[in-house]
């Protein structure tokens, strides 16, 4: 499991071609250390020469210039080191996000749907972004701040081993005090991460549901829910900091106060004649640089632990089971026919996902970043193909599965027009999504041109299939760019031509900026029907040989629906077309109609054949005609 990888392994896994920048950063950090040590030695030498009575002011001036040069070198090499580490770090963060997004595109749709949007957004944006400081500074500064005191300590021992020990006398006091911050640390950290995660999910739920909240007058109760989550999210950190403030203060005040031991011990040895005055002054100057860098190293302790948790979450997603597809096509389909053979599929129904972080044995203070905890405290029932192991913890017993498709078998010839109809919840959209390769079947097989879709690469399959659902999504781009997503190399004239053929050119040109109109987040600036028409145009631009329309005209009015159907009919000639519809009049001309009921095929045939059977289809048709008459 990738969650067991060390922090350095994670860094270099995602560093890519910027690995050398990290190594160069460490090299310049070491040069910075060297430039930081020499001035202390030179200052001690100047004090010693002054005490010995040397009055060569030119020598002192040269030494001061040399000190200034080394201090400038310290700042210069620090700048180069941190610049290189930041370049590498931003490359790491970018690679993490790109690989996570790429991973999500290869996961079954159910696995993605089962992740709360607040959790995903928190991981992809805030949580990953919160690692920037840690990753950019951990290698160069942790290295330099650890090496500097070690070199100083060795030099102090070289001067006088007794004074070397004296310079470390306050360190045990600081360490003991700091250890009190570790009490109940794991539980506190889990609680803080969980509360922050709940706050994120509550905020997303509140914002997404604001229209419903206002419509039903639930502003007060819903806002109180958010306020409670915000208060609990802040209280857990405040309580944690309150318990840590005294140990933290004692540790970071006493530990670097090396003169508390160096002055009395050095004074005693000086009076006894076992320590020279020059060495005493040198020890005083150098001892002040021993502990503070170690405290800086210790201050990264919590950041390292937090980064470990976040990488654990990243690793949990990266370890999720992908759609079972090869990298390259094993066979080539003979045509665009579709065959389903005894297809069975189950949704896993259960409560919210257990996303608490893995046990962390090292963290000293509460992390500022949010994170995953137990999912929002509401029982949910969503389609999933597996439970999300975000952080490598053992999960509770697998929730029970509910089979929704029970041995579906059907044949859709190449170039045919097939409709799927049936009552709501019968499994029509599930069949469409399985054919669109958004999920994998639990058993049975789906074949394209005689080839099992599991033997086709996702790239090849996506090229062959265009899928439009009633829950269409537009990106916050112009209408032109949203349509162009169907084929990225399409010219402006080709985009406008496909809009004409799809029957949405006139309404687009009626907008203030025409094709350059921004649609807003998720297409919020357009009506539901307009969004669907743009989505259909985008699918037609793809020019895939297999087209699936899942209630693609559900939000359009009858007049526009007729226009869209006529346009689509022209565009899909020669293609294998699958249409799911509740309005039976829109699919009565289909070459074959499958009637789905309770996850099984109730009947199939043409419109006339199904009416003659006096079955479910006929009763649905009569109800449809009656509703139209009324």
């Amino acid at each position: 499991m990738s969650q067991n990888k060390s922090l350095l392994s994670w860094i270099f896994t995602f560093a890519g071609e910027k690995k050398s920048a990290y190594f160069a950063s460490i090299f310049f950090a070491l040069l910075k250390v060297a430039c930081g040590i020499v001035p202390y030695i030179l200052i001690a030498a100047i004090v010693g020469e002054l005490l010995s009575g040397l009055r060569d002011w030119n020598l002192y001036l040269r030494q001061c210039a040399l000190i200034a040069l080394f201090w400038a070198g310290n700042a210069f090499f620090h700048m180069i080191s941190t610049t290189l580490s930041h370049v590498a770090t931003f490359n790491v963060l970018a690679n993490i996000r790109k690989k996570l997004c790429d991973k999500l595109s290869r996961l079954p749709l159910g696995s993605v749907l089962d992740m709360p949007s607040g959790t995903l957004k928190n991981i992809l944006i805030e949580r990953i972004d919160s690692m920037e400081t840690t990753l950019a500074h951990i290698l160069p500064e942790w290295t330099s701040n650890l090496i500097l005191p070690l070199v100083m300590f060795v030099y102090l021992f070289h001067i006088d081993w007794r004074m070397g020990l004296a310079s470390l006398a306050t360190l045990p006091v600081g360490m003991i005090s700091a250890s009190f911050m570790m009490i109940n640390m794991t539980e506190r950290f889990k609680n803080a991460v969980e509360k922050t995660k709940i706050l994120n999910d509550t905020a997303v739920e509140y914002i997404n549901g604001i229209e419903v909240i206002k419509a039903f007058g639930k502003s007060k109760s819903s806002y109180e829910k958010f306020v409670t989550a915000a208060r609990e999210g802040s209280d857990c950190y405040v309580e944690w900091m309150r318990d840590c403030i005294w140990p933290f203060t004692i540790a970071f005040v006493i530990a670097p106060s090396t003169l508390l031991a160096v002055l009395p011990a050095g004074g005693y040895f000086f009076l006894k004649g076992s320590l020279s005055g020059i060495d005493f002054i040198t020890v005083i100057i150098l001892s002040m640089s021993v502990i503070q860098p170690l405290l800086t190293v210790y201050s990264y302790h919590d950041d390292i632990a937090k980064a470990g948790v976040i990488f654990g979450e990243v690793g949990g997603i990266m370890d999720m089971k992908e759609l079972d597809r090869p990298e390259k096509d094993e066979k080539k389909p003979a045509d665009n026919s579709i065959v389903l053979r005894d297809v069975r599929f189950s949704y896993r129904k259960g409560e919210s996902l257990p996303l608490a972080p893995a046990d962390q044995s090292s963290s000293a203070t509460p992390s500022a970043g949010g994170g995953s905890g137990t999912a929002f405290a509401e029982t949910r029932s969503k389609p999933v193909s597996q439970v999300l192991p975000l952080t490598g913890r053992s999960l509770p017993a697998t929730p029970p599965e509910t089979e929704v498709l029970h041995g579906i078998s059907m044949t859709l010839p190449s170039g045919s027009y097939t409709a799927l109809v049936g009552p709501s919840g019968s499994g029509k959209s599930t069949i469409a999504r399985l054919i669109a390769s958004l999920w994998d079947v639990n058993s049975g097989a789906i074949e394209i041109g005689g080839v099992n879709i599991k033997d086709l690469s996702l790239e090849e399959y996506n090229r062959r299939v265009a899928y439009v659902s009633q829950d269409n999504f537009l990106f916050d781009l112009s209408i032109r760019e949203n349509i162009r997503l169907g084929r990225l190399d399409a010219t402006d004239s080709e985009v406008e031509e496909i809009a004409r053929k799809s029957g949405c050119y006139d309404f687009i040109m009626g907008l203030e900026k025409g094709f350059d109109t921004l649609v807003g987040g998720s297409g919020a600036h357009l009506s539901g029907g307009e969004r669907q028409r743009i989505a259909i145009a985008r699918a037609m631009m793809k020019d895939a040989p297999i087209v699936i329309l899942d209630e693609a005209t559900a939000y359009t009015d009858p007049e526009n629906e007729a226009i869209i159907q006529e346009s689509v009919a022209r565009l899909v000639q020669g293609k294998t077309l699958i249409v799911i519809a509740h309005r039976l009049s829109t699919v009565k001309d289909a070459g074959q109609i499958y009637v789905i009921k309770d996850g099984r095929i109730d009947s199939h045939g043409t419109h006339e054949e199904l009416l003659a059977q006096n079955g479910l289809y006929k009763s649905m048709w009569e109800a449809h005609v009656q509703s139209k008459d009324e």
Side-chain angles (χ1 to χ4, degrees), residues 285-464:
I285 295 173
L286 297 183
S287 66
M288 291 188 288
S289 65
V290 172
I291 303 299
Q292 189 59 51
L294 293 177
L295 293 180
T296 302
V297 170
Y298 182 80
S299 68
Y300 288 120
H301 193 67
D302 179 60
D303 293 325
I304 293 172
K306 186 174 77 172
V309 171
I310 297 171
F311 273 124
E313 294 171 338
V314 171
I317 296 177
M318 297 301 294
D319 283 339
M320 290 176 65
K321 184 179 179 181
E322 301 178 4
L323 288 166
D324 187 14
R325 302 291 187 273
E327 290 293 328
K328 296 182 178 180
D329 299 330
E330 298 181 5
K331 301 177 182 178
K332 288 290 185 181
D335 52 32
N336 296 305
S337 62
I338 303 172
V339 177
L340 280 72
R341 302 184 188 278
D342 194 29
V343 169
R344 296 178 182 273
F345 182 74
S346 301
Y347 289 149
R348 181 166 291 149
K349 301 178 71 175
E351 296 188 352
S352 56
L353 297 174
L355 305 182
D359 291 345
Q360 296 295 318
S361 58
S362 60
S363 180
T365 56
S367 299
S372 55
T374 56
F376 188 59
E378 288 187 27
T379 300
R380 296 180 299 126
S381 177
K382 281 194 174 184
V384 293
S385 58
Q386 68 180 82
V387 174
L388 182 61
L390 270 192
T391 51
R393 300 184 68 197
S394 57
L395 301 181
T398 302
E401 290 188 348
T402 300
E403 188 171 86
V404 294
L405 296 182
H406 315 288
I408 297 291
S409 295
M410 58 175 64
T411 300
L412 289 66
S414 181
S416 64
Y417 172 14
T418 302
L420 305 181
V421 301
S424 296
S426 59
K428 307 183 298 297
S429 292
T430 301
I431 294 173
R433 288 169 176 172
L434 288 172
I435 295 174
S437 195
L438 300 180
W439 281 306
D440 266 337
V441 301
N442 294 118
S443 65
I446 298 177
E447 298 176 358
I448 301 292
V451 178
N452 192 316
I453 65 173
K454 292 186 178 181
D455 295 330
L456 296 173
S457 65
L458 284 175
E459 181 180 359
E460 170 64 18
Y461 200 83
N462 290 334
R463 187 188 66 80
R464 286 181 172 270

Side-chain angles (χ1 to χ4, degrees), residues 10-33:
W10 277 118
I11 292 174
F12 288 116
T13 295
F14 291 108
E17 60 184 19
K18 298 297 182 179
K19 290 180 183 177
S20 58
Y22 273 125
F23 289 114
S25 174
I26 294 174
F27 171 74
F28 284 107
L30 294 177
L31 292 180
K32 172 207 167 195
V33 170

